[in-house]
Amino acid sequence: MKSVWQWSYRGYDPKHQRLRETLCTLGNGYFAVRGSVPECTSLPVHYPGLYAAGCYNRLRSTVDGRTLENEDLVNLPNWSVLRYRCRPDGSPPGDWLSPDHRSLRHSGVRLDLRTGVLTMRWLFQDGLGRRLAVTHTRFVHMGTPHLAGQRTTLRALGWSGDIEIDAELDGSVVNAGVERYRALANGHLVDLRTGVTPEDVQWLSCRTSRSRIAVGMAVRTVVAGADVRHSATATGVSTSSRVAVARGGRVTVTKILSLHTSRDRPPADPLPAALAELAATPGFDALLVTHRAAWDDLWREGEVAVPGEAGRILHLHLFHLLQSVSPHTTGLDVGVPARGLTGEAYRGHVFWDEAYVLPYLDLHFPSLARSLVLYRHRRLPRACEAARRAGHRGAMFPWQSGSDGREETQRLHLNPRSGRWLEDRSRLQRHVGSAVALDVWRYWQATGDDDFLHGPGAELMLRVAQFWSSLAEYDPGDARYHIRGVMGPDEYHDAYPGSQRPGLDDNAYTNVAAAWVLGRALDLVGALPPARRDELLGGMGLAGETDRWQDLTRRLHVPFHDGVISQFAGYEQLSELDWADYRARYGDIGRLDRILEAESDSVNRYKASKQADTLVLGYFFTPRELHEVFDRLGCPVDDDVWRRTVDYYRRRTSHGSTLSNLVHGWLLTRLRRADAWEYCSQALLSDVADIQGGTTAEGIHLGAMAGTLDLVQRGLTGLECTDTALRLDPVPLRQLQRLSFPVRYRGHRGIRLHVVRGRVGVEVPASQHGPLDLILPGDRRVTVEPGRQRWFHLPDSPDSTGR
């Protein structure tokens, strides 16, 4: 039986090597290293990558006669390169060995999730039966953000002679990890300098071409029992050696990296900082001890314990979340990159995926969640400027954000099926502002952090509310407000069929989320201390505007048709798609938009969604919140309407996004549908099985990974943070009947929740805080005193008493 803490691969499979490299990425929130083999640097089988959080650069490219500008998370120099070859019994040197070499006989890769250590093992054998066993051990230090280590052991089996070793620090890297970006400029590093110190430390310095981020790297390479020779070139520095080895003997090569950039705080010259840190750094074994201890601390605070294969995948997902955004992130000015720090897809940009990530962090690492929301707050002036340029008020946050908060969404995108470059209108997804406001509110609900809510949180929420108020247009014909010219989360539909006007009107998710934001903004205004309220309303020019907000929460239009919520106004006029025909012809129709465009058709003509759109309402908002918003808007949505809506769009969704199965799994679980697990399991497998056929090789999908954790944490338990109590309403899911995890809630730390077959247990550690108030199904209120554990039977159980 596989351990829930081990992620491993047997055998070498070039076709899936880059997928494995992505899933075996190691990081600590400051930087990450893809799980590439040290021996290989070539595409397309291998793709080494090192990415530092927030290290972006902007380049111009010419495509189809148009000049485009894109900002990318930069691939930094490769420190892990290590080559070796054997000279058995004084013979001439053989080939440089790698897993791609014909002499490979056995291979295995193991990622220890508990300790954050990656181990790769190869066994080579030549025609005379002489073997070389190779073991690589690598970590990126979770305790000290600038350090990483790699140790390679080479063992001669059945022969003696020499081993030649070449260890490199390679600065000739470019951004080439995404095939469809290959036509774009990709050389981000300039002013490379390399050298070796008198203490035999390899070093490299460079900077990004336009963002001018300076990078300093220092590597200490030790080859046990050998003298080394160094050679530096314009783009790298290598350390070479030749070591005699006895039959059965071993040679050990250790590399320790120190990486600094000019984005560090406090600021310092990166290269001297890297050299100084490396000089004071202990050896590999001592670093490994402190690295493991740091991971122990994280797991103690954050583990979601579920047995079996689902638990193993959830551990992998949490592992990637905690190395993409870790406690080290709190000292950086960075957001949540949608692909983590594992690859170059989406160019390392920040989307609304943070709304799928922060609910987990709110309840385990609230200071980290706070820092990620502050990334948005620091870019609030840029969002306000964008709104002004578009003729609106408030804050218009970009669909894709990077270094400084400007809109980073590309103007053109390539359809690989047709080879055509097409206009990209996804910047019209204005709903990202509502996700920012939701992040603020959920953080406050979990923590009770009034200082944050009344400070930067209020500034964010009021500016987003102001934007929605500015964007909405009143139509006296129906006495309703309308939001026009936007795109919803679906991402397929960007215009009406045949229309030259981009965008759609009254996207249901956009309008309902806007109404929710306006309602919470009004609540916040009413709760602010008078002096702060006057300061904000006066400084933002909101005096007198709250009456309009009240009106919007009552008269913002939400379209309906055939007894279900319409995805947008006019949706019912679109044609039905022959789903069976397209599945029969193409198999995977996740990217139906590309298929139709290649057929000179358009998905805008059809009732077909890439991913959950209207249904996202049931993921982000509780039933109580939705009932409140819809009732206030004068269009009540009861359980029957919602069930019909779920079923309607479930039949019309291609699931071209990893977030889509997650949302559907969540909704069907809460509705207690028998087929909920079908979607939940697909969400779990999104990256580990690469269900989209190649996208994970370009980077994980961090929102989907974090969302599966939240599916267990909140979806299965019905966990909801209210102002006064934790609400629990577990639902049964046969495949996940036992789960346990800690949470923090408003000063209580280490609350342990258990759900086991019809019962829920709540354990509150001893502390100076008062009792923990709980609301159980049926609105039954109970308390758990600090230092006590209580178990409660759920309503479906014959005994509903707590003990």
Side-chain angles (χ1 to χ4, degrees):
M1 182 176 178
K2 294 180 179 178
S3 166
V4 295
W5 292 104
Q6 300 293 328
W7 197 262
S8 59
Y9 298 99
R10 287 187 177 181
Y12 179 66
D13 184 356
K15 291 185 298 183
H16 297 103
Q17 178 59 26
R18 288 181 61 193
L19 167 65
R20 295 179 178 186
E21 290 176 356
T22 297
L23 294 179
C24 291
T25 296
L26 301 175
N28 60 15
Y30 178 83
F31 77 103
V33 178
R34 281 175 59 85
S36 55
V37 303
E39 298 90 344
C40 302
T41 61
S42 59
L43 287 165
V45 174
H46 307 277
Y47 189 69
L50 188 159
Y51 309 101
C55 187
Y56 292 101
N57 190 57
R58 198 176 301 278
L59 293 177
R60 291 190 178 95
S61 307
T62 300
V63 176
D64 280 357
R66 296 177 59 177
T67 299
L68 306 178
E69 185 171 280
N70 291 295
E71 184 178 69
D72 293 86
L73 187 68
V74 177
N75 187 15
L76 296 179
N78 182 5
W79 70 286
S80 66
V81 183
L82 183 73
R83 286 188 284 269
Y84 44 86
R85 59 186 178 182
C86 303
R87 304 184 67 152
D89 307 313
S91 61
D95 298 331
W96 295 106
L97 296 177
S98 78
D100 296 311
H101 196 268
R102 63 185 179 278
S103 63
L104 182 70
R105 295 295 177 266
H106 299 286
S107 68
V109 175
R110 186 185 68 194
L111 175 60
D112 189 321
L113 302 171
R114 181 179 284 278
T115 63
V117 175
L118 177 65
T119 304
M120 295 176 272
R121 290 189 169 90
W122 325 124
L123 180 64
F124 301 95
Q125 181 175 306
D126 66 13
L128 299 177
R130 296 172 298 197
R131 294 177 295 165
L132 180 72
V134 181
T135 302
H136 302 293
T137 304
R138 183 187 297 165
F139 64 87
V140 173
H141 204 283
M142 186 53 82
T144 306
H146 303 283
L147 298 177
Q150 177 177 288
R151 180 166 62 194
T152 301
T153 301
L154 309 163
R155 186 181 182 189
L157 300 174
W159 62 277
S160 62
D162 293 343
I163 299 178
E164 294 184 7
I165 297 166
D166 184 43
E168 294 187 16
L169 176 55
D170 179 17
S172 65
V173 300
V174 295
N175 276 48
V178 180
E179 177 65 33
R180 60 190 175 278
Y181 300 166
R182 296 285 172 80
L184 306 177
N186 61 7
H188 293 278
L189 301 178
V190 297
D191 297 343
L192 267 74
R193 294 188 303 121
T194 64
V196 181
T197 70
E199 294 77 26
D200 288 334
V201 171
Q202 302 166 289
W203 60 265
L204 180 151
S205 69
C206 58
R207 67 174 177 83
T208 54
S209 60
R210 292 184 62 188
S211 57
R212 304 188 68 82
I213 298 172
V215 178
M217 304 177 73
V219 177
R220 183 169 67 224
T221 302
V222 177
V223 183
D227 293 327
V228 297
R229 302 180 307 278
H230 305 289
S231 60
T233 68
T235 60
V237 55
S238 64
T239 297
S240 302
S241 59
R242 180 171 169 177
V243 189
V245 60
R247 184 183 297 262
R250 290 180 173 86
V251 176
T252 300
V253 184
T254 303
K255 302 181 79 171
I256 296 176
L257 164 72
S258 176
L259 166 69
H260 286 253
T261 79
S262 56
R263 300 186 74 254
D264 296 345
R265 296 293 178 268
D269 189 336
L271 182 58
L275 290 167
E277 180 175 51
L278 193 62
T281 297
F284 186 94
D285 289 329
L287 281 176
L288 195 54
V289 169
T290 53
H291 166 72
R292 287 171 168 160
W295 267 109
D296 283 343
D297 291 340
L298 290 181
W299 288 118
R300 192 176 303 112
E301 293 284 344
E303 182 193 359
V304 175
V306 173
E309 182 64 6
R312 192 172 75 99
I313 295 174
L314 287 166
H315 277 151
L316 178 73
H317 289 181
L318 182 50
F319 177 78
H320 276 292
L321 174 58
L322 292 178
Q323 57 183 12
S324 296
V325 287
S326 81
H328 297 305
T329 305
T330 59
L332 304 172
D333 179 27
V334 296
V336 180
R339 295 299 193 105
L341 299 174
T342 62
E344 295 161 15
Y346 302 166
R347 308 185 197 284
H349 292 164
V350 176
F351 294 69
W352 77 321
D353 298 53
E354 63 194 10
Y356 295 84
V357 172
L358 266 62
Y360 168 84
L361 298 177
D362 288 337
L363 293 167
H364 297 273
F365 302 95
S367 61
L368 175 53
R370 187 180 193 272
S371 76
L372 294 169
V373 177
L374 286 174
Y375 164 85
R376 294 294 192 179
H377 182 258
R378 284 187 286 270
R379 285 148 185 79
L380 183 58
R382 176 77 75 166
C384 292
E385 178 186 340
R388 284 194 299 272
R389 287 199 308 268
H392 306 299
R393 303 176 69 211
M396 186 172 77
F397 282 96
W399 177 236
Q400 295 187 34
S401 180
S403 60
D404 59 14
R406 76 181 76 176
E407 179 62 79
E408 301 293 354
T409 303
Q410 61 270 24
R411 294 285 181 177
L412 296 178
H413 69 269
L414 176 68
N415 181 357
R417 284 186 175 270
S418 67
R420 288 189 285 263
W421 288 87
L422 310 169
E423 183 180 0
D424 192 317
R425 294 171 170 171
S426 56
R427 66 187 59 230
L428 297 177
Q429 293 187 74
R430 307 301 186 201
H431 59 83
V432 65
S434 294
V436 172
L438 183 69
D439 293 337
V440 170
W441 197 257
R442 293 290 187 251
Y443 167 78
W444 172 74
Q445 286 182 310
T447 64
D449 187 349
D450 287 341
D451 288 342
F452 178 81
L453 182 65
H454 296 169
E459 293 168 13
L460 284 166
M461 293 200 67
L462 297 182
R463 284 299 191 195
V464 173
Q466 187 181 32
F467 173 71
W468 288 129
S469 177
S470 173
L471 196 62
E473 302 174 2
Y474 181 71
D475 183 350
D478 62 1
R480 287 280 181 176
Y481 292 91
H482 301 268
I483 295 177
R484 299 188 170 97
V486 301
M487 284 179 63
D490 158 47
E491 294 189 347
Y492 272 177
H493 298 89
D494 63 4
Y496 288 101
S499 174
Q500 298 303 307
R501 180 177 72 91
L504 305 158
D505 300 338
D506 292 322
N507 172 258
Y509 173 77
T510 300
N511 286 18
V512 174
W516 179 88
V517 170
L518 290 159
R520 297 294 76 74
L522 288 167
D523 292 343
L524 178 56
V525 168
L528 287 169
R532 178 60 173 159
R533 179 170 59 243
D534 294 344
E535 177 189 8
L536 286 172
L537 296 183
M540 293 184 176
L542 295 176
E545 190 166 333
T546 54
D547 290 342
R548 178 179 168 88
W549 295 3
Q550 289 278 9
D551 203 33
L552 278 160
T553 62
R554 294 184 173 90
R555 293 202 280 179
L556 195 55
H557 180 58
V558 179
F560 287 77
H561 74 278
D562 300 334
V564 302
I565 305 167
S566 298
Q567 185 170 310
F568 50 81
Y571 183 87
E572 71 281 1
Q573 298 175 25
L574 302 182
S575 300
E576 292 286 2
L577 184 80
D578 188 340
W579 291 89
D581 175 65
Y582 275 90
R583 287 193 174 99
R585 284 197 284 143
Y586 291 98
D588 180 6
I589 59 170
R591 290 310 305 265
L592 185 62
D593 56 334
R594 292 175 175 174
I595 292 172
L596 289 168
E597 193 278 331
E599 294 181 346
S600 299
D601 201 348
S602 171
V603 74
N604 282 329
R605 297 180 54 234
Y606 300 100
K607 296 173 182 173
S609 297
K610 174 184 175 184
Q611 59 186 307
D613 189 300
T614 304
L615 301 190
V616 178
L617 289 168
Y619 180 88
F620 283 132
F621 304 109
T622 68
R624 274 175 294 280
E625 289 174 316
L626 286 181
H627 284 308
E628 174 196 327
V629 173
F630 278 115
D631 287 350
R632 194 174 178 86
L633 289 170
C635 46
V637 174
D638 60 21
D639 291 345
D640 288 339
V641 170
W642 181 247
R643 289 191 184 96
R644 287 199 302 271
T645 300
V646 170
D647 290 337
Y648 183 88
Y649 290 106
R650 188 156 62 114
R651 296 192 297 269
R652 294 168 173 83
T653 302
S654 71
H655 303 294
S657 164
T658 55
L659 296 173
S660 190
N661 282 306
L662 169 68
V663 172
H664 281 75
W666 177 294
L667 296 182
L668 295 177
T669 296
R670 295 306 303 174
L671 289 173
R672 301 179 181 233
R673 294 287 182 84
D675 54 353
W677 180 247
E678 173 187 342
Y679 295 94
C680 295
S681 62
Q682 286 296 296
L684 285 169
L685 294 172
S686 291
D687 278 326
V688 302
D690 195 13
I691 64 173
Q692 290 190 327
T695 63
T696 303
E698 304 165 349
I700 61 165
H701 298 81
L702 193 60
M705 283 190 167
T708 61
L709 297 166
D710 199 34
L711 171 66
V712 173
Q713 175 179 266
R714 292 192 304 134
L716 298 185
T717 65
L719 175 63
E720 180 186 344
C721 298
T722 73
D723 301 357
T724 59
L726 275 182
R727 184 181 289 272
L728 290 170
D729 183 15
V731 294
L733 189 60
R734 181 176 57 82
Q735 295 83 356
L736 294 175
Q737 292 194 27
R738 290 171 46 221
L739 53 100
S740 174
F741 53 86
V743 295
R744 296 188 192 184
Y745 170 68
R746 299 205 165 204
H748 287 281
R749 181 169 180 167
I751 302 167
R752 191 86 192 182
L753 302 181
H754 308 267
V755 177
V756 182
R757 294 187 181 184
R759 294 192 304 155
V760 59
V762 182
E763 182 179 355
V764 180
S767 72
Q768 299 301 312
H769 294 285
L772 174 67
D773 294 317
L774 299 172
I775 304 173
L776 299 177
D779 286 333
R780 182 161 62 104
R781 290 183 172 268
V782 297
T783 62
V784 182
E785 298 287 339
R788 286 199 61 194
Q789 181 183 46
R790 294 187 66 185
W791 283 84
F792 306 94
H793 286 274
L794 300 176
D796 292 342
S797 178
D799 181 2
S800 61
T801 60
R803 60 176 174 83

